Amino acid sequence: MISFSQVYKRYPNGYEALKNISFSLEAGEMALITGHSGAGKTTLLRLIAAIERPTSGSIIVNGQNVSTLKGGAIPFLRRNLGLVFQDQKILFDRNVFQNVLLPLQISGFGSTAATRRVRAALDKVGLLNREKAWPITLSGGEQQRLCIARAIVNRPSILIADEPTSNLDADYARDIMDMFVSFNQVGVAILIATHDVELLGSMQQRILTLNHGELAA
Amino acid sequence: MNVWLSHHLHALALAFKRLGRAPLGSLLSIAVIGIAFSLPAGIYVLLENLQALSGQVSGAPQLSLFLRLDVDKDDVAKIESYLEQHPPVASFKFVSKDSALDQLKQESGLADVMNGLERNPLPDAFVVSTRALTPEGLEALRMELGQLPQVEYAQVDSAWAKRLDALLKLGHLAVLLLGALLSFSLIAVAFNTIRLQILTMQDEIEVAKLIGATTGFVRRPFLYFGALQGMVGGAAAWLIISAGIYLTDDQLKDLLQLYEVNFRLYHLSLEDSLSLLLFSAGLGWAGAWLSVANHLSQVEPR
Ligand SMILES: Nc1ncnc2c1ncn2[C@@H]1O[C@H](COP(=O)(O)OP(=O)(O)OP(=O)(O)O)[C@@H](O)[C@H]1O
Ligand SMILES: [Mg+2]
């Protein structure tokens, strides 16, 4: 499903954020990426969605070689991924419903089918009764759920989440993680970056640890 | 529903929404486009009207044939028979030198001066009405009649119609030039409106790109917006011209009736109106396209 082999990422300023990364995530597998702040977690996730390009090495996602993907093919790669961003990227001039609708508009869904899917996604994250609300009126946890709803509305086979539990209290973080586990149970491959050590202790999943851009054994 | 159709409907709906979202800004842009376009289009309407009017006034162009001073009755008869057999001639009237002098005395009020003349200085003349001819045909007829041995000089009485015709041609050229110049202003308006939109919508564009929007998906609403704004601007120009016609038509009618001309101002024809709308829509689209090509690449996801 996702496979990195000898991937290096050096930013234009010369900083080497990832060094010799090799790992793979099978279809339907769930893994957590952890590491100190600045270890390269976000960089790694951005490489998968071709938001950043590797300096060397190869990245295969859904059978496509992302490292050599042409610009015109990138949108279609991203449509098959569910992405939750560390900085959320909620649109505050659209209500909850319309934020979740955006990926479907991009894929060209008709409005009735799209409405049904948006409601289903909001239902899964427990925001169905807030569909008309403006994002600014949501709590931090609810905003996080909104991001997750937007990521799953396209029914992707891979879900990638960057710090989905940051700034949430332990109980709420637990809820969110349980949600991901339940997505995984229906076959979605999941990769989550987090530095929430407390949370990690209670999880059964595979853990990849990054340390200054290198994967610890 | 088909994906292509759904994408275009979405873009069109978005364009309408954006046009409605900033009513004052949109209104001002539309007014600028409307005023800019009402100028060449208005002059065009004026020229079309002048042309129609000149056709009505010079409906039966006339030629005056001034005969040589030494012609006699036989010569006059020869010309009469020549004119009778000449198809482009609709009718003619002989004006003898004596009757011409009488008329001049009456009209000019210079009877005393005229009476003092030793002999009549005026020539015999024919006033020839021609069948409706083009200015070129009229000129050919004038040359032909002017070469008759008895004729001293042939003059087209509606020479002004010819001059007007030349002026109208010049006017049309001026309209084209003016239209071309002001087209730039429409492109500039669209370019800048879209540039501002892209700036204020950076977040939206960025998020859309991050979750799989193609460049086409992001670009389309802007192009529709440019075309829509251009078209509404063209409609505004049309309304401005309508208002102008409405305000001048009645007064012009009264004025022209003094000259016994029955004439109402024409508006742009349906064809011309549609061309105006399509043209302004096309220019808006072009301006939006330029703007998008220049500014969209600056909004890259981070
Ligand atoms: N665009 C960039 N240009 C230069 N350096 C960058 C850029 N983005 C990230 N870095 C650097 O790369 C390193 C890894 O950054 P990254 O965002 O991947 O860390 P992270 O593990 O996600 O950290 P955090 O837990 O704080 O989110 C950091 O040292 C950061 O300063
Ligand atoms: Mg990070």
Side-chain angles (χ1 to χ4, degrees):
Chain A
M1 194 99 295
I2 298 177
S3 141
F4 275 56
S5 108
Q6 296 171 354
V7 172
Y8 286 79
K9 172 63 187 177
R10 180 182 293 126
Y11 279 111
N13 64 2
Y15 185 83
E16 199 151 56
L18 290 177
K19 294 165 214 155
N20 197 19
I21 304 287
S22 299
F23 77 94
S24 61
L25 186 80
E26 304 307 321
E29 198 185 351
M30 175 164 176
L32 300 158
I33 301 177
T34 185
H36 59 90
S37 186
K41 305 181 292 294
T42 298
T43 304
L44 193 153
L45 297 186
R46 288 160 71 87
L47 286 174
I48 296 173
I51 299 166
E52 295 287 352
R53 298 306 196 99
T55 311
S56 68
S58 85
I59 302 168
I60 314 284
V61 176
N62 267 335
Q64 281 180 300
N65 191 340
V66 176
S67 32
T68 59
L69 209 57
K70 292 247 166 24
I74 291 175
F76 302 95
L77 166 82
R78 292 184 185 156
R79 287 182 202 178
N80 290 320
L81 303 173
L83 297 172
V84 176
F85 304 98
Q86 186 167 5
D87 55 353
Q88 296 193 327
K89 305 214 183 285
I90 292 170
L91 294 175
F92 286 92
D93 57 351
R94 299 172 170 230
N95 65 23
V96 167
F97 183 91
Q98 283 173 333
N99 265 280
V100 180
L101 182 63
L102 186 61
L104 298 179
Q105 288 175 327
I106 287 170
S107 330
F109 269 80
S111 65
T112 41
T115 303
R116 217 176 311 122
R117 279 201 174 202
V118 171
R119 298 242 162 87
L122 286 174
D123 193 27
K124 280 195 189 123
V125 301
L127 278 183
L128 195 50
N129 57 343
R130 303 300 305 272
E131 68 169 50
K132 294 251 158 51
W134 295 97
I136 202 77
T137 67
L138 300 181
S139 73
E142 285 171 331
Q143 290 187 357
Q144 205 55 262
R145 286 161 185 262
L146 169 57
C147 294
I148 295 169
R150 188 180 63 188
I152 61 169
V153 73
N154 246 336
R155 303 192 183 153
S157 51
I158 306 176
L159 192 55
I160 292 168
D162 199 352
E163 308 282 2
T165 61
S166 56
N167 307 321
L168 300 181
D169 68 36
D171 284 350
Y172 218 114
R174 201 53 261 172
D175 281 358
I176 300 256
M177 276 302 174
D178 287 346
M179 211 184 294
F180 281 112
V181 171
S182 71
F183 296 146
N184 179 240
Q185 277 161 359
V186 297
V188 182
I190 296 182
L191 199 53
I192 299 173
T194 181
H195 56 229
D196 194 338
V197 189
E198 207 176 320
L199 191 75
L200 288 170
S202 64
M203 302 283 296
Q204 317 294 314
Q205 275 73 23
R206 174 182 170 197
I207 294 176
L208 301 163
T209 307
L210 275 174
N211 188 4
H212 295 286
E214 288 179 289
L215 266 184
Chain B
M1 194 170 32
N2 158 327
V3 170
W4 181 89
L5 190 64
S6 147
H7 272 149
H8 280 267
L9 285 179
H10 171 250
L12 192 62
L14 218 56
F16 268 107
K17 216 166 84 189
R18 288 176 191 170
L19 200 62
R21 193 186 296 167
L24 186 63
S26 300
L27 221 59
L28 287 177
S29 302
I30 287 166
V32 168
I33 296 169
I35 291 166
F37 255 148
S38 65
L39 219 61
I43 296 175
Y44 177 79
V45 170
L46 197 73
L47 292 177
E48 293 290 294
N49 276 299
L50 270 177
Q51 202 152 37
L53 187 63
S54 80
Q56 231 183 66
V57 174
S58 62
Q62 288 191 330
L63 282 170
S64 295
L65 302 183
F66 299 104
L67 305 188
R68 299 161 71 95
L69 288 173
D70 56 358
V71 295
D72 54 25
K73 290 234 161 24
D74 282 355
D75 291 323
V76 172
K78 269 185 205 153
I79 291 181
E80 271 178 357
S81 69
Y82 182 88
L83 291 176
E84 268 161 13
Q85 285 154 31
H86 209 60
V89 175
S91 64
F92 60 87
K93 195 174 91 186
F94 176 67
V95 183
S96 72
K97 55 176 93 176
D98 298 332
S99 63
L101 188 63
D102 283 345
Q103 201 178 346
L104 190 64
K105 279 179 186 166
Q106 280 169 21
E107 286 180 5
S108 66
L110 295 176
D112 291 343
V113 183
M114 303 280 180
N115 285 334
L117 293 173
E118 258 171 43
R119 57 186 189 84
N120 185 350
L122 299 176
D124 288 327
F126 280 94
V127 176
V128 180
S129 296
T130 64
R131 302 187 194 287
L133 288 171
T134 59
E136 291 80 15
L138 202 60
E139 177 60 21
L141 186 64
R142 185 191 73 81
M143 297 270 283
E144 185 190 337
L145 296 179
Q147 269 156 16
L148 292 174
Q150 300 84 356
V151 175
E152 174 77 43
Y153 182 64
Q155 181 185 316
V156 176
D157 286 342
S158 55
W160 68 272
K162 207 169 96 187
R163 281 182 212 129
L164 182 66
D165 203 65
L167 269 176
L168 286 176
K169 280 194 181 123
L170 195 69
H172 276 124
L173 186 68
V175 165
L176 276 182
L177 288 177
L178 195 65
L181 286 178
L182 289 171
S183 294
F184 276 108
S185 73
L186 203 168
I187 290 182
V189 169
F191 185 89
N192 270 318
T193 327
I194 300 296
R195 187 176 65 90
L196 277 178
Q197 273 189 9
I198 291 175
L199 282 179
T200 55
M201 292 179 43
Q202 257 171 341
D203 289 348
E204 199 165 334
I205 295 169
E206 189 196 334
V207 171
K209 281 189 171 181
L210 278 175
I211 58 183
T214 55
T215 315
F217 179 87
V218 177
R219 181 170 46 199
R220 225 171 278 130
F222 293 113
L223 297 183
Y224 273 112
F225 181 93
L228 201 63
Q229 183 183 255
M231 194 189 296
V232 179
W238 195 90
L239 286 177
I240 291 174
I241 296 168
S242 303
I245 289 177
Y246 177 78
L247 291 177
T248 44
D249 192 30
D250 271 349
Q251 291 184 13
L252 197 69
K253 195 183 82 186
D254 293 345
L255 181 72
L256 286 177
Q257 257 164 8
L258 294 178
Y259 295 88
E260 292 177 344
V261 176
N262 197 3
F263 183 76
R264 303 303 300 255
L265 284 171
Y266 295 94
H267 203 311
L268 283 174
S269 65
L270 182 67
E271 212 173 289
D272 285 341
S273 305
L274 287 180
S275 307
L276 174 70
L277 291 185
L278 276 182
F279 186 61
S280 53
L283 285 177
W285 179 283
W289 193 91
L290 274 179
S291 192
V292 167
N294 266 279
H295 304 299
L296 212 52
S297 56
Q298 291 167 13
V299 188
E300 269 308 314
R302 290 192 356 88

